[in-house]
């Protein structure tokens, strides 16, 4: 079964560091390795927003709100994409989703919840 599954969310204090993981399964390496993968988040009552993207060649882009605090990385050998988050703020809270296009399908994970206490 082709799927993405996020993990690593939880309850943290403002200023903490946390790493999210997005594990792909059912996707062969020749499809996963060159794929662009995104991390989105959705806070209660707000639209889902793009947080970070990693493109072929390791090119990364970030939302202005997370630049210099978040780092996206991709381990093709583990078929896993990470989102390293530091200096977390209450406004970073929400459900974080992993997304990518594989086999001509837009694939989303079920999400992982992040709560940031001030």
């Amino acid at each position: 079964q082709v799927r993405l599954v996020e993990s690593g969310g939880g309850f943290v204090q403002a200023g903490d560091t946390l790493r999210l993981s997005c594990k792909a399964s059912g996707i062969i390496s020749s499809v996963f390795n060159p794929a662009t993968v995104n991390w989105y988040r959705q806070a209660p009552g707000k639209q889902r927003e793009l947080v970070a993207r990693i493109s072929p060649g390791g090119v990364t882009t970030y939302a202005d709100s997370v630049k210099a605090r978040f780092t996206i990385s991709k381990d093709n050998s583990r078929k896993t994409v990470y989102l390293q988050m530091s200096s977390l703020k209450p406004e970073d809270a929400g459900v974080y989703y992993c997304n990518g296009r594989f086999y001509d399908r837009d694939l989303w994970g079920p999400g992982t919840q992040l709560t940031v206490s001030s």
Side-chain angles (χ1 to χ4, degrees):
Q1 185 179 8
V2 176
R3 62 178 185 168
L4 301 173
V5 178
E6 304 90 342
S7 63
F11 185 99
V12 299
Q13 302 287 332
D16 281 355
T17 295
L18 195 69
R19 189 179 77 165
L20 305 182
S21 299
C22 169
K23 173 71 175 173
S25 60
I27 303 172
I28 61 176
S29 296
S30 61
V31 172
F32 181 81
N33 293 359
T36 292
V37 180
N38 309 298
W39 279 101
Y40 284 80
R41 70 184 177 196
Q42 187 166 21
K46 294 189 176 181
Q47 287 192 329
R48 193 173 295 189
E49 62 171 343
L50 178 64
V51 173
R53 168 177 292 154
I54 187 161
S55 302
V59 177
T60 57
T61 55
Y62 299 93
D64 287 343
S65 59
V66 307
K67 278 180 184 175
R69 298 189 299 120
F70 289 13
T71 302
I72 188 172
S73 60
K74 190 167 178 257
D75 186 339
N76 287 332
S77 67
R78 297 178 186 273
K79 293 182 185 173
T80 300
V81 178
Y82 302 100
L83 186 67
Q84 181 74 34
M85 306 181 293
S86 62
S87 302
L88 283 163
K89 304 175 181 180
E91 52 263 43
D92 293 319
V95 180
Y96 281 72
Y97 299 93
C98 181
N99 159 259
R101 191 162 182 84
F102 304 98
Y103 303 109
D104 293 327
R105 287 169 47 194
D106 204 26
L107 197 61
W108 292 86
T112 186
Q113 176 77 48
L114 172 65
T115 302
V116 184
S117 171
S118 57

